[in-house]
Amino acid sequence: MVLQEPSFRESVDLMFNRAAAIMDLPPGLEEKIRVCNATYTVRFGVRLRGQIHTFTGYRSVHSEHMEPVKGGIRYAMAVNQDEVEALAALMTYKCALVEAPFGGSKGGLCIDPRQYEEHELEMITRRFAYELAKRDLINPSQNVPAPDMGTGEREMAWIADQYARMNTTDINARACVTGKPLNAGGIAGRVEATGRGVQFALREFFRDPRDVEKAGLTGGLEGKRVIVQGLGNVGYHAAKFLAQQDGVRITGIIERDGALFDEGGLDVEAVHHWIARHGGVSGFPDATHTAEGAAVLEHDCDILIPAALEGVINLANAHRIQAPLIIEAANGPVTAGADEILRDKGTVIIPDMYANAGGVTVSYFEWVKNLSHIRFGRMQRRQEEARHQLVVEQLETLSDALGKTWSPSPDFKEKYLRGADELELVRSGLDDTMRTAYQSMREVWHDRADVQDLRTAAYIVSIGKVAASYRAKGL
Ligand code: NAD
C-alpha cells in the first residue's frame, strides 16, 4: 500500500516491481533491468542579451540491451534527474512493448522556452546538442533523441544540423535524431504520431466488448464524452482525430490557465487556434471557463486523456476521479498510489508505456528511412497503381463480356487505383503496431488470473522481452 507520494522514478519502479514479483526472472536480472545505467548532467553557458546564462541539462540511458537507445528531449523548468531517469525507464519498456529495436533513454533541459526568442533558443539548443554529441549521447548508432514536452520539429532540425556539422563525413548523420521536419530528413506523419497512436489504441480497446465491459462502458467510441488535459502536440492530435473520425464528444479541455467545458462538445480546432493566438484557453467565447483547471479531471466523463505532464492524478484526487476509462497519453500522469486507488475502484487505465508509444514507433520508421536514404513507397507506389489498373481493366472487360454494367461505388476507383504514399504507409505501420502491442497486453490481462490491470500486463510483456534480449546476449 502506497501511503506517501513517491517520486516519479520511484513510482515507475513500484509499478515495475508489482509485475516483476509475479514473473519468473532469474535472480539479479530483475535488478539489472530496473536500474538506470547512467545519467549525464551537463552545465553550460550561453551568452545572451549581454550576459552569460548557465543552463543545466541531462541525458539518461536506462537500458542498452539494444542500441541505439531512444528517447525524447524535454524543455521545462521542472526537469530534474529523477524525472529524466523515470522517463528513460519508461522508454525501455515502451520500445520493448511495441517492438521498436531500441534501448531506453531520455533527456531534458531546465528551461522555460517561452522566455526566449527563437534565435536564442537555437543557440541554447545547438550548445546542448554539442555537449551531448561530443559524448556520443547523440549518435545515429548509439543514442537518438526525439521531441518531447516543450520541443518539436524546429529543435530537432537544429540538433540534426549541429550533429552533421560535427560529423561531416557521417553519411547517416540525419539518423542522429527523429521528429525532424520533412525537408530536413523527417517522415510524413511524425508530428501527429503520438496523438494518432492514442486514437488507434482506443479503437483497439473498443474492438473487444470484454474490455469495454471491464470499464463499465457499452458500445463503441461514437458519442463517448472525453476530457483532455493539455492541448499540446499529443493532446491536440488525439482530441482532433477522435472528434473528427470517431465521433467522440470532447466535453472538457484543461490547460495551464484553466479549463473549458461544454457537454455538447468543444470545437478542438477553434480552441487550438485560440491558444495559439492568446497563449491559453481564457477568454474562449464558446464554452464555460474555470480557472480551477485540475478540478475538471474529476468531472463526469467516459474517457479521461491526461496529455500534459506527470503526477496529475495522485493520492490527493484519485478517489474523486469519475472517468471509468483513463488513457495515459502523457508519461506518468497517474502516480503509483493513485494507480492503486483507481484499480480498487475498477477504473481501467490504458498505460502510458503503450498509450503514447505512437511517437517512438514513427520515430523508428523515420530512423529506418534515414538509414536507407529513401522515402517509403518510392519504389513501389506507381508499380502498385499499374497492377491495380490491370485488375480494374479486367473487371471492366469481364462485365462487358457478360453484358453487365459494372458500377462500383463512386470513390472505389479513386481509392483502389491510388498507390500508398509515405503518410499512408506510416499510418498503416503505426496502426498495426498499436493493435499488435495491445493484443499482447490483452492476452496477459485476460489469461492470467494474477493480473488485474493493463499496466501490469504491459510490464509483464515488456520485461519479458527485455529479459529475452539480455539472455540472448549471454547475461
Ligand atoms: P507539448 O509541450 O506539446 O504540450 C503540453 C501541453 O500541456 C501544452 O499545451 C501545455 O500548455 C499543457 N500543460 C502544461 N502544463 C499543464 C498543466 N499544469 N495543466 C494543463 N495543461 C498543461 O508536449 P507534448 O509533446 O504534447 O507532450 C505531452 C506529454 O506526452 C508528455 O508527458 C510527454 O512526455 C508525452 N509524450 C510526448 C510524445 C511526443 O511525441 N511529443 C511522445 C510520447 C509521450
Side-chain angles (χ1 to χ4, degrees):
M1 176 103 187
V2 183
L3 294 171
Q4 230 192 342
E5 209 76 87
S7 74
F8 187 8
R9 190 186 51 75
E10 287 164 347
S11 220
V12 172
D13 285 353
L14 281 166
M15 291 167 178
F16 173 100
N17 291 345
R18 242 164 43 83
I22 52 172
M23 293 179 75
D24 192 18
L25 294 170
L29 184 57
E30 176 184 329
E31 169 80 354
K32 174 66 209 82
I33 296 174
R34 183 179 43 240
V35 297
C36 177
N37 286 4
T39 301
Y40 172 68
T41 307
V42 60
R43 294 181 187 85
F44 59 89
V46 181
R47 182 173 287 279
L48 302 167
R49 305 173 200 178
Q51 69 180 76
I52 294 172
H53 294 243
T54 302
F55 297 91
T56 304
Y58 305 89
R59 187 81 186 156
S60 177
V61 175
H62 175 262
S63 175
E64 292 149 291
H65 68 288
M66 285 198 190
E67 285 184 312
V69 293
K70 191 98 190 65
I73 289 184
R74 173 177 287 199
Y75 281 5
M77 285 309 289
V79 163
N80 59 60
Q81 181 168 345
D82 184 278
E83 179 188 73
V84 172
E85 290 186 356
L87 291 165
L90 281 175
M91 283 307 298
T92 297
Y93 310 135
K94 189 179 306 188
C95 291
L97 184 64
V98 296
E99 297 188 335
F102 301 126
S105 182
K106 201 82 181 191
L109 190 64
C110 290
I111 186 175
D112 178 357
R114 290 168 304 172
Q115 304 306 318
Y116 295 91
E117 303 284 334
E118 183 164 352
H119 72 276
E120 294 174 329
L121 273 177
E122 179 175 352
M123 284 168 71
I124 298 162
T125 302
R126 284 185 180 276
R127 183 61 204 272
F128 186 30
Y130 169 82
E131 294 294 336
L132 297 182
K134 75 177 182 191
R135 291 170 179 86
D136 287 335
L137 290 165
I138 296 177
N139 182 302
S141 59
Q142 306 240 304
N143 197 322
V144 182
D148 193 72
M149 222 164 98
T151 59
E153 286 189 325
R154 183 184 64 175
E155 288 73 17
M156 301 306 115
W158 292 332
I159 292 174
D161 185 65
Q162 184 63 33
Y163 178 86
R165 287 183 192 200
M166 295 166 70
N167 297 274
T168 49
T169 56
D170 184 349
I171 196 170
N172 293 321
R174 279 184 155 179
C176 76
V177 65
T178 57
K180 304 176 291 292
L182 253 184
N183 60 13
I187 193 166
R190 174 60 184 89
V191 176
E192 65 167 47
T194 312
R196 181 69 75 183
V198 171
Q199 176 193 31
F200 289 158
L202 279 173
R203 283 184 179 174
E204 185 56 25
F205 177 88
F206 276 92
R207 272 190 196 106
D208 191 329
R210 294 174 302 169
D211 297 7
V212 180
E213 198 187 314
K214 275 185 190 254
L217 292 166
T218 51
L221 262 172
E222 174 126 28
K224 293 287 179 290
R225 298 161 306 148
V226 174
I227 294 178
V228 183
Q229 184 190 41
L231 208 66
N233 177 310
V234 179
Y236 162 64
H237 286 104
K240 177 172 123 167
F241 297 143
L242 286 165
Q244 283 176 357
Q245 293 163 359
D246 298 289
V248 310
R249 251 187 302 150
I250 306 293
T251 54
I253 291 176
I254 309 166
E255 259 294 331
R256 290 173 204 265
D257 63 333
L260 300 173
F261 50 94
D262 180 350
E263 270 301 304
L266 293 156
D267 180 342
V268 176
E269 209 60 60
V271 177
H272 191 242
H273 278 132
W274 185 269
I275 297 174
R277 264 181 294 140
H278 304 275
V281 289
S282 304
F284 182 74
D286 303 320
T288 311
H289 176 263
T290 169
E292 274 302 303
V296 175
L297 289 168
E298 301 161 19
H299 278 200
D300 180 28
C301 66
D302 299 311
I303 306 169
L304 181 60
I305 311 184
L309 63 170
E310 59 264 19
V312 292
I313 299 172
N314 45 48
L315 288 175
N317 63 0
H319 54 284
R320 290 195 301 271
I321 299 290
Q322 297 186 56
L325 176 62
I326 299 174
I327 176 157
E328 296 181 326
N331 282 307
V334 176
T335 64
D339 192 53
E340 210 166 299
I341 295 170
L342 291 166
R343 246 183 298 124
D344 288 348
K345 284 210 306 185
T347 310
V348 171
I349 302 178
I350 304 179
D352 46 9
M353 79 165 81
Y354 165 70
N356 65 40
V360 75
T361 301
V362 177
S363 275
Y364 167 41
F365 302 156
E366 180 178 334
W367 181 73
V368 170
K369 175 186 180 182
N370 293 152
L371 295 180
S372 53
H373 301 268
I374 189 164
R375 153 170 59 79
F376 286 109
R378 185 165 175 179
M379 303 296 280
Q380 307 92 323
R381 188 177 179 190
R382 302 301 169 195
Q383 194 251 3
E384 198 184 313
E385 286 181 359
R387 284 175 47 214
H388 286 191
Q389 180 68 41
L390 275 178
V391 173
V392 168
E393 281 167 12
Q394 283 303 309
L395 281 173
E396 282 168 348
T397 313
L398 185 67
S399 60
D400 283 351
L402 294 171
K404 303 243 161 106
T405 315
W406 182 50
S407 45
S409 64
D411 60 349
F412 169 81
K413 275 199 192 174
E414 198 258 322
K415 278 189 179 158
Y416 185 68
L417 289 178
R418 193 164 39 87
D421 62 12
E422 185 170 82
L423 182 59
E424 284 166 282
L425 292 170
V426 163
R427 284 180 180 159
S428 154
L430 175 60
D431 193 8
D432 183 59
T433 305
M434 296 307 290
R435 289 190 204 206
T436 311
Y438 186 88
Q439 285 156 13
S440 65
M441 287 191 306
R442 177 189 279 145
E443 206 177 296
V444 175
W445 191 28
H446 287 288
D447 292 357
R448 280 186 65 155
D450 55 353
V451 174
Q452 308 298 326
D453 62 312
L454 275 169
R455 192 189 312 278
T456 307
Y459 271 101
I460 287 177
V461 174
S462 68
I463 295 171
K465 289 187 174 164
V466 179
S469 359
Y470 273 123
R471 257 183 245 119
K473 281 179 155 209
L475 192 73

